[in-house]
Amino acid sequence: MLAPLLLLVVGVTPAPPRFDQSGRSIGAPLSDRTASYVLEARYDPAKRHLTGTARLTWTNRSDLPQGTLWFHTYWNAFKNSESTFVREQRRAGAARASTGRYAGEDFGWTELRSARLPDGTDVRSTLRWERPDDGNPADQTVFTLTLPAPVPPGGQVTLDLAWEARVPKLAARTGVHGKYTLFGQWFPKIGVLEVPPQRGVRTPTWNCHQFHATTEFYADFGSYDAALTVPRTMAVGAAGVRTGRTENPDGTVTHRFHQDDVIDFAWTAWEGALEVSDVFRSDGLPEVGLTVLVPPEARRTAPHVLAAAKVALEHAGRRWLPYPYPHLTLVAPPIGANLQSGGMEYPTFVTVYARTDPAQPRDSLLWEVAIHEVVHGWWQGMVASNEFEEAWLDEGFATWATTEVMNAVGLDWDLAQFLPPGTRWFLGPLLRSRIPERDIRPAGTVPRFESSILRPSWRFKTGGEMGRSTYGRAAAALAVLEQEVGPETFARLMRTYAERWAFRHPSTDDFLQLASEVSGKDLRPLGNALFRGTAGLDDSVTGLRCAPPRPPSGFFDADGGTPVLRAPRAADPGGDVRCEVLVERRGDLPLPLDVQLTFADGTHLRRDVPPGELWTRIVTERPPPGGRVTLAEVHPGARPTIDTSPGNDARSLDATPGPALTVGGWFLYAAQLLAAAVGSLL
Amino acid sequence: MNRLLEPIRVGFGEWRTVAVLLWANWLVAGLMVAPTVPTVWAAFGHAPLAVGKPLVSSELLIGLRPLFVGGGTPSVGAPLLLLVVLQTFLVGGVVWRASAGGPFRLGAFLGQSGRLVGRNARLYLWLLLLLGVAMLVPVGLAALLHVLGLRTIFTMPGETWIFGSPFGVTSVLHLAVLGVALALWRLSLEVGRVLIFRDDLRTTRRAAWRALRLVLRSPLSIVLYAVLGAVATGAALLLMRGRAMLPEGNAGLALLALGVGQTVLWTRLAFQVAGTRFAAALVQRTDAAPRHVGHLEEPVEAAPPV
Ligand SMILES: [Zn+2]
């Protein structure tokens, strides 16, 4: 009786939950639960030491017996300066990878102590380090164990793994920063046995890559149960639903969590964190409990993070798939730990950013990163693509989805919000702006890219190029597909993709196949050009000029056919004005290119540039003054976001001194200020 | 109070001197941005999509990066080198105006500049030593605070600028100490220049030493000079804010903004003259028995060969 009354008061009818209050699914499982874990860990922050056990239950989904199992030990990426992660980070750089500045004590490691089968057999002695990607003998981020008897097709194996680890100094979403520790990819984790037709494999194949400076993760779905023991002074936030909290006689507390049907489990132990709770409620969508952990000095972050998370849950839940999980934890790291550990997605557990003085009413930095990480709950959390090999399938999708959500709530970037408190009062007016999310992450700066979007993340030339390609450029490429099929079809396409591939592992080809099927248009050629090619786009109007036609001169046939020299005459004042427009295509992306000319009398002329042509010249002759071309545009009204220089998509006949003087004036002013500043030191 | 107001009055009254300094500033800044002019005009000279947009917009600032992929970026190094030369040259004239008064003549200004340039350059090099020593104070203080777990803007994690509050009590106090240390150095430099001009000192090392002693004997002057610097910075920031608040979007507004921007520069440079005047007044007051006064009327002729 109480429940309907409450609903009447609140006015919201949520959908029935998919999981109970202990994180266990109600009804049929959402996923195949190939790899499930019961984790127990004890963390001693004073020694930066972790002792753990994991009972892994793994199912052989293939039709071949499997005697050798592949595992990740991600933390060995931080073991020493010779790991593949640290070497790559030194060579090509990567976001969030401060391992280059590690000194002796900063490094960390994971060491497998035993791996027992139910009959007590310890297969630890069969451990073999594997380096499938680069053969680096110093890398210990992948190992195999060989079982005395293979797991039969469709069979299951249970392994009790015991390990110890030294927690590294905070880098790449993992480690210690003061009283805050983030545990990501922290337990020995089994790789993915890909089974045909999964991601195009022809035979059952282990997909278990080394930990690279630019890669993230790939895992099977399963149930996770965790008992995490830490000193009583520490707050704990973790994936899934909190199922218990036990005080131990030794001054520690064991925190228990559970969640079915997820691909990973991450957590934080943090002395001094503030915990703020809330609930997401919306008609027809399941309720989601929300917990934000914030540093006390940035407590004002919490309302921003909660509001942004709700907006994302609402939009994504309606557009793609209702968020099925009952709880979502968002960690806003302490100041000093944001760049290394903020902005990371794990299922039902994400890290965002914290600011001591958020801009009001909506801090775009806090909102953007929270929205981005929450929508990852769909793109990779549920639609579990391979982030090692096809990072764009989650980062490009999440970037595109973030733009969607931000547009839906009218949120743009205001660069003034980046200013630190104390400078906003006088620098604020300088940077105040409204820049759409789409433009903050441009596709690139040159019309030919250095790498295809679709490639393993460690095979980009630099970390920066990997980031640009898999985030902004991939999102722009999705927007190109959206333009190609129209917004309604594209919305349907994305929903179908989420519904069909949730709790499975799609590839780029699976996406393009589905996109073609839903749109009724073969999108694979364009998709392959966008994701497998390096072609970019910079369509531009490079010339527009009008002049009266030159009067004819030279020899002309007189009556009877004799060439006669005609005396030059002034142009006919009533004659046509001749305008020439030059359109150039600097990228090779095979998109249709249409041009629109606007005449002084307001009429328009449209032309298509033939496919394959890199330039075209359009000449018009019409009577003045209305026949003058005043404006020439490419892609009128539908600018492709992948265009690397959108500013040159239109050209006017009249000069526009305003923008040139605005930019030039600012340059000059900035140079003057710089000269004055240097001068004051002389 | 008058010890601050009088130099400011002189600084703003010496408008011809400020104009010479502003001209040098224009020259240097113009050389910096000159390489960008063709690129900027090519990109924005017939760009209807950018019309009416402020600088900080997708169409202008955010779209700038691709424009400079093929070059045409501002040049900085060479113009700044020219600035060093010009400024070292012109300070002689500024010291003349701040110390002697009388009618402004461009020829005399340049003559004084030429007469003193060598010695002023050597004096600057000597005082770089003092700068190094003076900086030990804020550097040591920052290290001490760091050990105590307190952060200055030089020792805090870089991300504090975006996520945290860089200007806490500790960092502001540290900045104040840094300001006073800089004021000590800068005032010594100014006083040294005044001494060289007034007493026609030949040995710049001795001038530097005398200047330092004179400044150290008057700690209040260091504080007042630091206050003068703070007032100058505050005034410039206020004007910069005013300039930033102007609407943007067309040629007229851009030119207006450029004009308003000149008031920022004018103020900054007038305070530079005021700083020199402050030093000249300090020398007059504390060194009551100058050994040699003689080139107030005929500065150029009295100048010995450099
Ligand atoms: Zn992401």
Side-chain angles (χ1 to χ4, degrees), chain A residues 447-603:
Chain A
R448 160 156 304 143
F449 300 108
E450 297 203 280
S451 304
S452 56
I453 291 175
L454 174 55
R455 60 174 48 217
S457 293
W458 65 95
R459 296 223 175 105
F460 285 88
K461 196 168 170 188
T462 61
E465 197 214 354
M466 181 266 166
R468 281 190 297 278
S469 302
T470 58
Y471 286 73
R473 183 176 148 211
L478 280 174
V480 169
L481 292 181
E482 183 169 11
Q483 261 178 7
E484 187 69 15
V485 300
E488 276 118 55
T489 305
F490 195 73
R492 193 151 43 82
L493 187 166
M494 290 305 243
R495 175 189 281 272
T496 312
Y497 177 57
E499 286 171 349
R500 192 176 302 173
W501 284 99
F503 308 103
R504 296 166 66 203
H505 307 289
S507 66
T508 300
D509 286 326
D510 294 324
F511 171 69
L512 291 178
Q513 165 74 39
L514 177 138
S516 304
E517 175 198 316
V518 174
S519 66
K521 216 174 186 179
D522 187 2
L523 291 175
R524 284 170 302 183
L526 178 58
N528 284 333
L530 286 167
F531 301 111
R532 290 198 160 87
T534 53
L537 188 80
D538 179 14
D539 292 334
S540 63
V541 185
T542 46
L544 164 58
R545 53 192 181 138
C546 294
R550 291 162 62 87
S553 59
F555 289 92
F556 293 85
D557 290 348
D559 48 351
T562 318
V564 174
L565 186 64
R566 189 187 286 180
R569 278 182 317 203
D572 177 7
D576 288 348
V577 61
R578 178 191 162 89
C579 294
E580 249 185 59
V581 176
L582 183 62
V583 171
E584 287 184 314
R585 160 159 276 189
R586 296 188 185 116
D588 296 325
L589 200 64
L591 286 185
L593 171 54
D594 55 336
V595 186
Q596 174 172 287
L597 309 185
T598 304
F599 292 87
D601 59 11
T603 56

Side-chain angles (χ1 to χ4, degrees), chain A residues 328-332 344-346 348-352 370 373-374 376:
Chain A
L328 172 62
T329 298
L330 305 110
V331 178
M344 180 58 201
E345 70 281 5
Y346 293 100
T348 72
F349 178 93
V350 300
T351 64
V352 293
E373 304 313 331
V374 173
H376 266 306

Side-chain angles (χ1 to χ4, degrees), chain B residues 54-96:
Chain B
L55 178 78
V56 188
S57 62
S58 304
E59 289 76 9
L60 300 186
L61 190 70
I62 305 295
L64 277 187
R65 226 159 69 86
L67 301 183
F68 293 106
V69 166
T73 46
S75 71
V76 177
L80 282 186
L81 212 62
L82 174 68
L83 175 75
V84 172
V85 174
L86 273 176
Q87 185 93 353
T88 308
F89 176 76
L90 293 174
V91 287
V94 175
V95 170
W96 167 53

Side-chain angles (χ1 to χ4, degrees), chain B residues 89-114:
Chain B
F89 176 76
L90 293 174
V91 287
V94 175
V95 170
W96 167 53
R97 295 306 305 156
S99 305
F104 180 95
R105 292 202 318 269
L106 187 60
F109 186 95
L110 298 178
Q112 287 293 352
S113 297

Side-chain angles (χ1 to χ4, degrees), chain A residues 1-9:
Chain A
M1 194 58 212
L2 193 61
L5 267 179
L6 269 177
L7 289 177
L8 214 68
V9 174

